[in-house]
Amino acid sequence: IEKQILPEGDDLDLLCLYAALMLSRTKKDKDHVLGFHRELHQRTLELEMAHKAPRTTSVFTEQLTIDGHIMHMTVGLKVAMTHLREMSLALLVASENCTFITSDSPCYLHNPKAHRLPPMFRSPGFAVEDVELRFPIAPEVLFVASRSPVVGTHQVSADWVDDLNRVTRFKCHDFCV
């Protein structure tokens, strides 16, 4: 990375693993997953009480409200690594006197064509054809995984850096750096 050259072999696998970890470890993701599990647990409790059923399923869902995010990360890593191995990988290097910003959600999925879709189809995910994983790994270097033919290392203009930083700022949870 210091040489601004896309790694190869095991080093590239490690970079993809690191990106996958950073994608799933954010506070925003944890809050989302645990919120889902809390709602699931509450509904399970209500169903068990309404049917006078013994507390069996709710015991399991209660545990998910505590560590469901860890289970989600484990599955998410497998999914992310499967997709990242099939995607084109590139490093974008900022032009002189430009830097990429980062945030509390440093690695994120973005679909640059989402604005063309109906609202219910705008959420980015690895199954979406045009999705990109973006991850600023150094002030001057942004790691990008996509299904485009762009691979390797590419210098990008100040305008591109500004556009990429705008999306990074939008995707943050609480703060940008």
Side-chain angles (χ1 to χ4, degrees), residues 27-39:
K27 181 181 182 327
K28 184 178 184 178
D29 192 55
K30 181 179 179 180
D31 291 347
H32 173 74
V33 171
L34 292 181
F36 170 80
H37 287 301
R38 280 191 289 274
E39 185 176 332

Side-chain angles (χ1 to χ4, degrees), residues 37-49:
H37 287 301
R38 280 191 289 274
E39 185 176 332
L40 176 68
H41 177 62
Q42 186 60 39
R43 290 182 184 196
T44 303
L45 282 172
E46 291 169 3
L47 282 169
E48 285 177 342
M49 289 189 327

Side-chain angles (χ1 to χ4, degrees), residues 5 32 55 62 64 75 81 84 96 101 114 128 133 142:
I5 298 171
H32 173 74
R55 278 194 73 207
E62 184 174 31
L64 291 176
V75 172
M81 288 301 292
L84 287 172
E96 198 172 318
I101 65 171
V128 177
L133 177 140
L142 181 80

Side-chain angles (χ1 to χ4, degrees), residues 100-135:
F100 293 106
I101 65 171
T102 190
S103 74
D104 55 349
S105 296
C107 186
Y108 57 88
L109 296 176
H110 176 68
N111 181 354
K113 297 181 180 177
H115 64 283
R116 299 178 187 168
L117 301 171
M120 67 182 289
F121 296 117
R122 291 183 186 166
S123 296
F126 281 113
V128 177
E129 182 64 28
D130 298 311
V131 76
E132 298 174 353
L133 177 140
R134 296 178 181 177
F135 180 33

Side-chain angles (χ1 to χ4, degrees), residues 18-102:
Y18 184 59
L21 281 166
M22 295 303 284
L23 182 65
S24 64
R25 57 139 291 287
T26 64
K27 181 181 182 327
K28 184 178 184 178
D29 192 55
K30 181 179 179 180
D31 291 347
H32 173 74
V33 171
L34 292 181
F36 170 80
H37 287 301
R38 280 191 289 274
E39 185 176 332
L40 176 68
H41 177 62
Q42 186 60 39
R43 290 182 184 196
T44 303
L45 282 172
E46 291 169 3
L47 282 169
E48 285 177 342
M49 289 189 327
H51 294 281
K52 296 180 177 45
R55 278 194 73 207
T56 53
T57 305
S58 64
V59 171
F60 174 72
T61 59
E62 184 174 31
Q63 189 62 38
L64 291 176
T65 66
I66 298 166
D67 59 11
H69 179 62
I70 295 167
M71 293 172 61
H72 175 77
M73 282 178 61
T74 305
V75 172
L77 282 175
K78 292 177 185 175
V79 170
M81 288 301 292
T82 300
H83 286 279
L84 287 172
R85 285 188 180 109
E86 298 169 356
M87 297 173 90
S88 300
L89 307 175
L91 294 181
L92 303 183
V93 179
S95 60
E96 198 172 318
N97 299 322
C98 293
T99 58
F100 293 106
I101 65 171
T102 190

